[in-house]
Amino acid sequence: MLTIQKFAQLAGTTRRTLIFYDEKGLFKPKQVAENGYRYYAYDQLYELTFILELRHLGLSIAAIQQLSNDRQTNSLDTDLKNVLAKIDAQIDNLSILKTTLQTRFDQVTPTESVAKNQPFITTTPATQFCRSRQSVACTEVEVAEIYTDFYAQLGKLKLVNQQDSGFLTQLPQSDANGYPTASFCILKAIDARTDTGDLPLLQKPAGQYVAIDTTNDMKNICISLQILAEYIQKKQLEIGDQLWQMNLNEQFTSKGASDLVCLQYQLQ
């Protein structure tokens, strides 16, 4: 016979675990002395090892007790199939998380400081975006509803992968007066690995864009649009009708956007 300490060492577990299993009626010692000391037989090692492995696989004490009572392989197979399903789900979730983090660290982090309200010309590569449904009007309520619905479908983990995000608005001629009521959709950059479900896709064309960085509030965006319109007129630039409002960081503060944004029009 083995003392509880010796038996625990042999089985690769702890004295505390054996006491707990005894109290729960899952695995009892072969003998309990008058002084309360527990003693175990070598043959009990095989049953305990099986129990420990079932616990390691995630089966509850109650499930193992039921299996012990039933002594039926079918019951064990059913429980282990449930465990397998949970493991598969965990693997899928971890795979999604790994992809998200890999995407995040693959992004190039801008090092230049932002100079607000100063127009500039920038060259950008083609970017594939997933887009939300189109808005009716740019209100806080509608932005919040579209934002919630969009990321519920795309997956909230995409919020932390540092791929480009923002809004697309039909706003010809950088018209500041039309901005407060202009229709928009939310954008999130994607790659070939992204499962977008039923969400529609669009591509931001490669090329030169006239742009301006500004604070994300109605007053400053309208001021920047006016500055941009004057710059476009002065430089005799031709622009498209689509305003690309891109977030400059991943921490959204108002209307589903970052505190600083970059307003961009493609040059024609």
Side-chain angles (χ1 to χ4, degrees):
M1 301 287 283
L2 295 167
T3 64
I4 188 171
Q5 190 66 39
K6 292 291 186 181
F7 189 70
Q9 291 175 353
L10 182 65
T13 187
T14 64
R15 178 178 177 276
R16 183 175 180 179
T17 298
L18 290 174
I19 293 173
F20 178 69
Y21 285 176
D22 183 13
E23 291 173 346
K24 292 294 182 179
L26 178 62
F27 182 78
K28 291 190 166 294
K30 195 74 170 181
Q31 179 182 332
V32 179
E34 292 183 2
N35 58 8
Y37 288 2
R38 296 171 172 86
Y39 293 94
Y40 296 82
Y42 281 98
D43 284 349
Q44 289 185 278
L45 174 65
Y46 313 111
E47 180 185 358
L48 177 62
T49 301
F50 190 62
I51 289 172
L52 290 172
E53 286 308 303
L54 292 179
R55 290 289 289 150
H56 181 70
L57 286 171
L59 269 67
S60 68
I61 288 176
I64 297 172
Q65 285 176 322
Q66 185 62 45
L67 290 171
S68 298
N69 293 335
D70 290 346
R71 299 290 181 183
Q72 292 179 5
T73 302
N74 289 342
S75 297
L76 177 58
D77 286 345
T78 299
D79 283 340
L80 292 183
K81 283 179 181 177
N82 292 334
V83 171
L84 180 60
K86 291 178 182 178
I87 291 172
D88 285 339
Q90 290 172 347
I91 290 173
D92 289 342
N93 290 335
L94 287 173
S95 178
I96 292 170
L97 180 57
K98 180 180 179 181
T99 300
T100 299
L101 294 178
Q102 285 177 331
T103 301
R104 178 185 179 89
F105 295 122
D106 285 343
Q107 306 308 305
V108 177
T109 304
T111 56
E112 305 124 3
S113 58
V114 173
K116 292 188 288 186
N117 293 335
Q118 295 184 21
F120 59 95
I121 305 295
T122 184
T123 301
T124 66
T127 307
Q128 186 84 348
F129 284 95
C130 192
R131 54 159 292 178
S132 71
R133 61 182 169 87
Q134 199 72 19
S135 72
V136 176
C138 187
T139 64
E140 284 193 6
V141 172
E142 189 173 32
V143 173
E145 289 175 349
I146 293 175
Y147 170 88
T148 301
D149 179 64
F150 179 65
Y151 279 105
Q153 293 183 68
L154 185 59
K156 293 183 178 65
L157 270 178
K158 302 296 188 301
L159 287 165
V160 297
N161 67 11
Q162 283 198 338
Q163 287 184 296
D164 288 342
S165 65
F167 295 82
L168 180 62
T169 304
Q170 291 296 120
L171 193 70
Q173 303 305 314
S174 187
D175 179 16
N177 292 326
Y179 181 80
T181 57
S183 178
F184 69 90
C185 64
I186 295 174
L187 304 174
K188 182 62 179 178
I190 58 171
D191 54 36
R193 298 172 296 181
T194 306
D195 180 8
T196 60
D198 296 328
L199 291 170
L201 305 178
L202 63 82
Q203 182 152 308
K204 182 181 181 183
Q208 288 192 312
Y209 288 74
V210 58
I212 189 168
D213 296 331
T214 189
T215 303
N216 175 33
D217 60 55
M218 189 66 69
K219 176 183 176 181
N220 280 288
I221 287 177
C222 288
I223 290 172
S224 293
L225 285 169
Q226 184 60 41
I227 293 172
L228 201 59
E230 293 169 359
Y231 179 84
I232 290 167
Q233 185 176 11
K234 180 180 177 180
K235 298 291 185 179
Q236 296 183 332
L237 303 174
E238 293 291 331
I239 62 171
D241 293 340
Q242 294 180 320
L243 169 64
W244 300 82
Q245 179 177 319
M246 308 309 299
N247 295 316
L248 292 181
N249 62 60
E250 63 186 339
Q251 297 179 351
F252 297 168
T253 58
S254 174
K255 289 190 174 182
S258 58
D259 54 349
L260 294 174
V261 295
C262 182
L263 310 179
Q264 304 174 357
Y265 280 98
Q266 185 180 20
L267 295 178
Q268 302 298 293

